[in-house]
Short mmCIF file of all heavy atoms in Angstrom, two decimals:
data_model
loop_
_atom_site.label_atom_id
_atom_site.label_comp_id
_atom_site.label_asym_id
_atom_site.label_seq_id
_atom_site.Cartn_x
_atom_site.Cartn_y
_atom_site.Cartn_z
N ALA A 184 111.31 187.09 13.85
CA ALA A 184 110.66 187.73 12.70
C ALA A 184 110.63 189.22 12.89
O ALA A 184 110.86 189.94 11.94
CB ALA A 184 109.25 187.12 12.59
N THR A 185 110.38 189.65 14.14
CA THR A 185 110.30 191.07 14.39
C THR A 185 111.61 191.73 14.15
O THR A 185 111.73 192.77 13.52
CB THR A 185 109.82 191.34 15.84
OG1 THR A 185 108.69 190.48 16.10
CG2 THR A 185 109.39 192.73 16.08
N ALA A 186 112.68 191.06 14.63
CA ALA A 186 114.06 191.65 14.41
C ALA A 186 114.36 191.64 12.93
O ALA A 186 114.92 192.59 12.44
CB ALA A 186 115.08 190.73 15.16
N ALA A 187 114.02 190.60 12.25
CA ALA A 187 114.31 190.52 10.77
C ALA A 187 113.60 191.65 10.05
O ALA A 187 114.16 192.32 9.21
CB ALA A 187 113.89 189.14 10.23
N LEU A 188 112.33 191.88 10.45
CA LEU A 188 111.60 193.00 9.81
C LEU A 188 112.28 194.34 10.15
O LEU A 188 112.39 195.16 9.26
CB LEU A 188 110.15 192.99 10.30
CG LEU A 188 109.19 192.03 9.58
CD1 LEU A 188 107.83 192.16 10.15
CD2 LEU A 188 109.19 192.36 8.10
N ALA A 189 112.70 194.50 11.39
CA ALA A 189 113.24 195.74 11.84
C ALA A 189 114.55 196.04 11.07
O ALA A 189 114.87 197.16 10.72
CB ALA A 189 113.52 195.73 13.31
N LEU A 190 115.30 194.99 10.76
CA LEU A 190 116.57 195.15 10.06
C LEU A 190 116.39 195.22 8.54
O LEU A 190 117.23 195.70 7.82
CB LEU A 190 117.51 193.93 10.41
CG LEU A 190 117.95 193.88 11.86
CD1 LEU A 190 118.73 192.54 12.10
CD2 LEU A 190 118.86 195.06 12.20
N GLY A 191 115.31 194.70 8.07
CA GLY A 191 115.02 194.67 6.62
C GLY A 191 114.71 196.04 6.02
O GLY A 191 114.77 197.06 6.75
N GLN A 192 114.23 196.00 4.80
CA GLN A 192 113.98 197.30 4.12
C GLN A 192 112.69 197.91 4.58
O GLN A 192 112.62 199.14 4.60
CB GLN A 192 113.93 197.07 2.60
CG GLN A 192 115.30 196.79 2.03
CD GLN A 192 115.25 195.62 1.09
OE1 GLN A 192 114.59 194.60 1.41
NE2 GLN A 192 115.93 195.74 -0.03
N SER A 193 111.69 197.16 4.85
CA SER A 193 110.42 197.76 5.19
C SER A 193 109.95 197.24 6.56
O SER A 193 110.18 196.11 6.87
CB SER A 193 109.38 197.40 4.14
OG SER A 193 109.92 196.71 3.11
N VAL A 194 109.32 198.14 7.26
CA VAL A 194 108.71 197.77 8.52
C VAL A 194 107.19 197.85 8.40
O VAL A 194 106.70 198.90 7.94
CB VAL A 194 109.25 198.71 9.65
CG1 VAL A 194 108.63 198.30 10.97
CG2 VAL A 194 110.73 198.62 9.73
N TYR A 195 106.52 196.83 8.82
CA TYR A 195 105.05 196.80 8.73
C TYR A 195 104.51 196.92 10.16
O TYR A 195 105.00 196.30 11.06
CB TYR A 195 104.56 195.61 8.06
CG TYR A 195 104.90 195.58 6.58
CD1 TYR A 195 106.11 195.05 6.11
CD2 TYR A 195 104.01 196.15 5.68
CE1 TYR A 195 106.44 195.08 4.79
CE2 TYR A 195 104.40 196.18 4.34
CZ TYR A 195 105.56 195.65 3.90
OH TYR A 195 105.87 195.67 2.58
N PRO A 196 103.45 197.69 10.31
CA PRO A 196 102.79 197.75 11.63
C PRO A 196 102.20 196.34 11.93
O PRO A 196 101.81 195.64 11.00
CB PRO A 196 101.67 198.75 11.43
CG PRO A 196 101.44 198.84 9.97
CD PRO A 196 102.71 198.46 9.30
N ILE A 197 102.18 196.01 13.13
CA ILE A 197 101.67 194.73 13.53
C ILE A 197 100.10 194.88 13.70
O ILE A 197 99.63 195.76 14.27
CB ILE A 197 102.29 194.20 14.81
CG1 ILE A 197 103.77 193.85 14.47
CG2 ILE A 197 101.56 193.00 15.39
CD1 ILE A 197 104.64 193.63 15.68
N ALA A 198 99.42 193.92 13.06
CA ALA A 198 97.99 193.98 13.11
C ALA A 198 97.46 193.85 14.57
O ALA A 198 98.04 193.14 15.36
CB ALA A 198 97.38 192.86 12.26
N ASN A 199 96.41 194.61 14.90
CA ASN A 199 95.94 194.58 16.25
C ASN A 199 94.88 193.53 16.52
O ASN A 199 93.74 193.62 16.06
CB ASN A 199 95.31 196.00 16.54
CG ASN A 199 94.91 196.16 17.93
OD1 ASN A 199 95.02 195.21 18.73
ND2 ASN A 199 94.39 197.34 18.25
N MET A 200 95.34 192.51 17.26
CA MET A 200 94.41 191.37 17.55
C MET A 200 93.24 191.78 18.42
O MET A 200 92.28 191.08 18.56
CB MET A 200 95.14 190.26 18.22
CG MET A 200 96.00 189.42 17.27
SD MET A 200 97.22 188.49 18.15
CE MET A 200 96.35 187.90 19.55
N PHE A 201 93.43 192.96 19.12
CA PHE A 201 92.40 193.35 20.06
C PHE A 201 91.34 194.24 19.33
O PHE A 201 90.54 194.86 20.02
CB PHE A 201 93.03 194.06 21.25
CG PHE A 201 93.83 193.16 22.07
CD1 PHE A 201 95.20 193.08 21.99
CD2 PHE A 201 93.17 192.26 22.94
CE1 PHE A 201 95.92 192.18 22.73
CE2 PHE A 201 93.89 191.37 23.72
CZ PHE A 201 95.30 191.29 23.62
N LYS A 202 91.44 194.27 18.06
CA LYS A 202 90.43 195.04 17.28
C LYS A 202 89.84 194.12 16.19
O LYS A 202 90.12 194.28 15.01
CB LYS A 202 91.07 196.26 16.70
CG LYS A 202 90.11 197.32 16.32
CD LYS A 202 90.81 198.64 16.00
CE LYS A 202 89.88 199.61 15.35
NZ LYS A 202 89.51 199.26 13.98
#
Side-chain angles (χ1 to χ4, degrees):
T185 314
L188 276 180
L190 293 171
Q192 288 132 318
S193 354
V194 179
Y195 289 90
I197 291 169
N199 185 359
M200 284 162 41
F201 292 101
K202 201 168 169 287

